[in-house]
Amino acid sequence: KEDHRSRGISKKLLSYYENAACKSVSKIFLTTSYYNARAQKLYKEVGYNQAGIIPDLYERGVSGYLMMKSKGH
């Protein structure tokens, strides 16, 4: 797992998804757990902003961050 980090693979996958599946939308949403700092950093680097918090999203006591990106960013 560590061998594949910091190689840009996640950014390429996100870009592919955004271009292929989100052609006709103006905003894209995703969630990440509050404790996943690495994912939050990645999403911010590619233009997502925290739009809200969803309490107990994953399980009791584990909130999720709702992330949003406006297309054209």
Side-chain angles (χ1 to χ4, degrees):
K1 193 173 182 179
E2 291 297 323
D3 294 342
H4 300 290
R5 292 206 168 151
S6 300
R7 298 173 76 191
I9 296 169
S10 295
K11 286 181 184 176
K12 288 177 185 174
L13 286 170
L14 273 171
S15 178
Y16 176 82
Y17 170 75
E18 291 171 0
N19 290 325
C22 303
K23 290 180 181 180
S24 63
V25 299
S26 62
K27 294 180 177 144
I28 304 167
F29 294 89
L30 56 81
T31 62
T32 186
S33 61
Y34 76 92
Y35 59 81
N36 194 343
R38 178 171 261 157
Q40 293 167 35
K41 181 178 182 283
L42 167 70
Y43 298 142
K44 288 178 182 177
E45 286 176 0
V46 297
Y48 287 83
N49 293 301
Q50 184 180 326
I53 298 174
I54 305 170
D56 303 323
L57 178 64
Y58 298 103
E59 63 184 68
R60 187 179 199 104
V62 182
S63 297
Y65 289 155
L66 178 64
M67 308 293 287
M68 181 188 81
K69 179 177 181 178
S70 296
K71 288 287 290 249
H73 183 291

